[in-house]
Each structure stands twice: as structure tokens, then as C-alpha cells.
Amino acid sequence: MTKRQGVAVLGATGSIGASTLNVLRRHPDRFRVTALTAHSNVEALDELALEFDPAVACVTGLEGDLPDVRWEGDWRVGPDTGFDAIEADGTQIVLNALVGIAGLEPTLRSLELGKRLALANKESLVTGGSLVMSALERGGGELLPVDSEHSAVHQCIAGRPRHEIAQVTLTASGGPFREWPRDRLAEARPEDALAHPTWDMGAKITIDSATLANKALEVIEAYVLFGLDPDQVGVVIHPTSIVHSLVEFRDGSCLAQLGRPTMEIPILYALGFPERIGDQRTAPGFDALRDGPLEFEALRTDAFPLFEAGVEAGTRGGELPIAFNAANEVAVAAFLQHRIGFMELAEVVISTLRQFDAAPVGSTEQIWQADGRARALTEQAIQAVRLRDTNPPAEISIFGEN
Ligand SMILES: NC(=O)c1ccc[n+]([C@@H]2O[C@H](COP(=O)([O-])OP(=O)(O)OC[C@H]3O[C@@H](n4cnc5c(N)ncnc54)[C@H](OP(=O)(O)O)[C@@H]3O)[C@@H](O)[C@H]2O)c1
């Protein structure tokens, strides 16, 4: 019998966390849960701890006393306790399902300790790509992507040398506004943006899918992960999310990975690699008659300016991808709180980006500095937009009496 591998699930109470725990529930002979973390949802974490009985359960967003809980095991509370989860007894695999730049330090620590990191948190690679890749080299661990597109690329490349790869094409569903005309997008509400047509995900990534910022983050993630030039990574819209990505090789062969749109497939792949573990829920994945025809279309970059802004930030590098990520996190939160509109979300991110250049970044301190500055500037841009919305300039007065 194969020895059971210990898995720490960071962000256990989120969407990827839930999918991961579904996979782990079905494979108790292969994996055991060593640690679980949440940011503030103690009640949900308590339920999970009762079920999985990990070595530690960590709440990273609280300071001080823990509210009443039923699980009587080892609770850790405080911002640094995510590291306790990574270092918990028996952890061999860390599944990083945190949202935002909060995932960066846990990514670095996992790799420095030589763990297998199953990485859903793309923001780690966008903000700290070169640091992450050098931590991987130093620590001698493994980095397996969980994002479905990058899992697809990993599966298609299957260890072939980088010089054989001509082009990687990531697919995008196009999100809920794929068919909305540009002039209607200004009216899009958070409720509309949260209604994703093919994927059931956490709120932040769902909004990022609606603005296509998510696809820009994924383009950056792809060239960091696979060591490609930015112009080797393209994107195509594929509304049914069956083809998860394509890799074209120098000899003209193109490989694609196909499967139903469930995150449980890439999660299982990242946990089990190089083995393909049998799973009755995720298989069978693709039925050519049921799931065809496979349709593709071009991205409408004019209606979704965050895609090009993010890709350009990633291509130029330095502080720019950090600023893009931070500005986007702040703007998404403001949109979800109804403080700004859908098109204003892109506007404030782009106005923040204009205040940065590609100044090189070589340490986590510099990353946090750029992140903090971008957050403050984005908040100012949000205030300016709100002021403008409540006091529209005279020339666009609805009374037309200037
Ligand atoms: N959802 C998907 O299908 C999907 C697909 C591909 C990639 N991803 C990527 O996977 C990551 C997670 O996405 P998700 O949709 O699962 O997010 P989510 O549902 O919002 O869950 C986020 C998790 O992280 C915790 N968390 C939130 N803020 C935190 C902070 N500041 N510090 C530490 N922990 C924090 C949350 O805890 P509480 O519950 O206590 O707040 C929750 O457990 C993102 O990077 C996303 O881009 C997601």
C-alpha cells in the first residue's frame, strides 16, 4: 500500500479549499490532512477540523482570543500561523488556495522548505515570480499549478524541453459579459458579474473573470511558470470551458487538454503527479459527441481594458505587475461594495498603473512597498471617481445648460 501523503490546505474555507477537501475525502488511502487554515471564518474551519482532525487548525485573520469552538485540537491564531500549517508534522504537500497577495509568503516558505506546492494562488507568481522560482530552485521542492489552464499546459508539455515549445494558448470562457456590448458594461452590477457561466468560484476571481483581469494574471503566471517569452503566450475565448489550454510545438503539433469544468481535476493532478489517480467523480471527463462542437473566438480587448493593461504590466515587469495586482484587489473590493462601477474598476486600476514604472524588485520588502503604494493610490483614485460621480463636471450636466 502507498504511504499516505500529508496535505496542508491553506484557505480551506474557500472555493478551491472546498474542492480540495472533496478530492481528499474520496482518497483517504492516499492522503491525510495535516493542517487547515482560514482567514476569519472560524465556524466553517471548526466544522472541517472536526471532520479531518488535522495536526493544527490556523486562523490567520484574527488576533487574540478564539471564539468558542467544538474541535479540541491544536488551534493557532494570528497572522503568521499560516507558516505553522506549512510546518505541521507530516506536511509533504501544501495546497495554497489563499486569495490575493496574502498567498505570496506561504508560497515562498513552502518552496524553501522543499515541499510540493500545489499552487492555486496565481497572485504569488504575478507579484513575486522571480523570488518564487529561485525559492523553488533553492529548496528543491516541486511546483504544480492548480489553475486549470496552467495544469493543462503542464500536462501538454509533459516534461518536454522549453526550446521545443512554440506557443501556448490559454483559453478563457469570456465570463458573464462576453456578449454584452461595451456601452452596456457601465451598468453591470456585482450581482451580474458574479453569475459566471461555467465556473463556480470565489468572489474575487469571479469578478476578475468578468473584467478579464484574471486572464492577464494567468498570462503572467504562464510565462513565469514555464519560462516562456511573453509573446509565446496567447489567449482565445472558448465559451464552454472544455479545452483548458493548448500547446503548440516547433514541429507544428498542437496538444490540448480537455475535461469538464471542475477544479477537482487539476487539484487531483497536482496532488497525485506523476501518477494519474483514478476518480469516479472526475471521470469520465470529455465526451466528443456530448461536449462538441468546440468553439473559439477572439478576445474583445476594447471592452475589457484590464486584459491588455495587465499583460503589458507583466511584460514590462519590475513593480508593474505588483501594482496591477494590488490596484486590482482594491478596485474589485470597491466594486463588490458598490463604491464604483464596472468600467470604473478598470479606470482606477489603469490610473494607478500610470504612476509606476518597471523599477526592478528583488526582495519581499520591495514587493510589499510597491503593493502598499499601489493600494493607497488606488484608494485615492476611487475617492476621485466617487467625487466625480456625485458632482459630475458641468460639461456633462444632464440639463445641458452650460
Ligand atoms: N475558485 C476557483 O475555481 C479558482 C480557479 C483557479 C484559480 N483560483 C485561485 O485560487 C485562489 C483562491 O481562490 P478561491 O476562489 O478559492 O477564493 P475564496 O473562495 O475567496 O477563498 C479564499 C480563502 O483564503 C482565505 N483568505 C482570504 N483572505 C485571506 C488573507 N488575507 N490571508 C489569508 N487567508 C485569506 C479565506 O478564508 P475565510 O473563508 O476565512 O475568509 C478562504 O479560505 C485565488 O488565487 C484564485 O485566483 C481559483
Side-chain angles (χ1 to χ4, degrees):
M1 168 162 160
T2 329
K3 198 165 167 289
R4 296 198 312 158
Q5 291 201 289
V7 185
V9 185
L10 313 186
T13 48
S15 158
I16 291 286
S19 300
T20 302
L21 293 168
N22 282 341
V23 170
L24 296 176
R25 271 185 197 104
R26 295 199 297 276
H27 298 282
D29 53 327
R30 305 295 304 258
F31 304 105
R32 70 196 168 89
V33 174
T34 53
L36 296 168
T37 82
H39 193 55
S40 55
N41 193 344
V42 177
E43 204 182 322
L45 191 63
D46 192 25
E47 281 293 319
L48 294 172
L50 279 169
E51 179 185 350
F52 289 97
D53 198 26
V56 290
C58 310
V59 188
T60 55
L62 288 185
E63 309 246 12
D65 291 341
L66 190 71
D68 284 346
V69 286
R70 290 183 298 149
W71 184 61
E72 291 177 348
D74 188 353
W75 284 94
R76 311 276 172 99
V77 178
D80 289 335
T81 58
F83 298 139
D84 298 353
I86 296 165
E87 291 165 22
D89 248 8
T91 298
Q92 290 153 297
I93 304 176
V94 177
L95 190 308
N96 183 346
L98 303 178
V99 64
I101 197 174
L104 173 62
E105 308 260 13
T107 285
L108 293 171
R109 179 70 67 93
S110 305
L111 292 172
E112 263 149 19
L113 292 175
K115 310 278 180 194
R116 165 173 295 193
L117 175 66
L119 185 62
N121 178 262
K122 64 194 82 186
E123 296 91 340
S124 302
L125 288 167
V126 170
T127 57
S130 60
L131 298 187
V132 172
M133 296 321 268
S134 46
L136 172 65
E137 211 176 299
R138 272 199 312 279
E142 292 171 288
L143 176 51
L144 271 299
V146 165
D147 230 344
S148 58
E149 296 79 358
H150 304 76
S151 175
V153 172
H154 191 272
Q155 295 180 54
C156 294
I157 292 178
R160 307 235 34 113
R162 193 179 311 160
H163 69 263
E164 291 184 359
I165 301 166
Q167 184 74 24
V168 163
T169 304
L170 308 179
T171 54
S173 70
F177 304 137
R178 181 172 65 90
E179 293 178 317
W180 283 40
R182 190 192 152 98
D183 54 9
R184 204 181 141 205
L185 285 173
E187 298 158 21
R189 297 159 307 159
E191 306 80 271
D192 304 316
L194 287 170
H196 196 281
T198 50
W199 295 98
D200 181 12
M201 310 180 283
K204 195 249 175 191
I205 184 177
T206 307
I207 302 302
D208 286 350
S209 299
T211 60
L212 296 192
N214 182 52
K215 223 28 80 173
L217 297 174
E218 289 182 2
V219 168
I220 304 171
E221 179 183 7
Y223 48 78
V224 173
L225 265 179
F226 302 112
L228 301 169
D229 293 332
D231 63 4
Q232 285 182 287
V233 183
V235 175
V236 70
I237 298 286
H238 170 51
T240 49
S241 305
I242 297 290
V243 178
H244 297 299
S245 280
L246 309 97
V247 178
E248 187 182 335
F249 293 89
R250 297 266 176 217
D251 64 358
S253 272
C254 186
L255 300 186
Q257 186 260 344
L258 286 72
R260 278 187 286 120
T262 163
M263 288 308 295
E264 295 188 19
I265 296 176
I267 290 168
L268 183 63
Y269 175 81
L271 295 174
F273 181 81
E275 192 182 338
R276 287 192 183 267
I277 298 174
D279 191 303
Q280 289 189 338
R281 207 189 94 76
T282 54
F286 172 69
D287 178 324
L289 297 180
R290 180 197 62 198
D291 297 327
L294 300 173
E295 291 177 344
F296 302 92
E297 58 193 57
L299 217 66
R300 286 168 51 211
T301 49
D302 62 316
F304 302 99
L306 282 188
F307 175 74
E308 282 187 339
V311 170
E312 189 191 333
T315 307
R316 292 178 57 204
E319 287 187 343
L320 286 166
I322 301 163
F324 175 73
N325 178 70
N328 184 54
E329 283 187 31
V330 173
V332 167
F335 172 65
L336 284 170
Q337 292 156 2
H338 298 266
R339 294 175 64 216
I340 53 174
F342 186 76
M343 292 311 280
E344 290 165 347
L345 193 171
E347 181 188 337
V348 299
V349 173
I350 290 167
S351 87
T352 299
L353 268 182
R354 287 205 185 104
Q355 299 176 69
F356 281 80
D357 56 32
V361 172
S363 66
T364 43
E365 291 72 28
Q366 287 172 325
I367 293 176
W368 286 115
Q369 257 175 25
D371 175 84
R373 188 156 74 87
R375 282 172 197 272
L377 288 168
T378 311
E379 197 46 59
Q380 283 172 20
I382 291 168
Q383 298 296 352
V385 160
R386 283 168 60 78
L387 208 63
R388 181 190 69 198
D389 287 351
T390 43
N391 301 299
E395 64 270 20
I396 60 163
S397 156
I398 51 169
F399 302 107
E401 293 170 354
N402 313 310

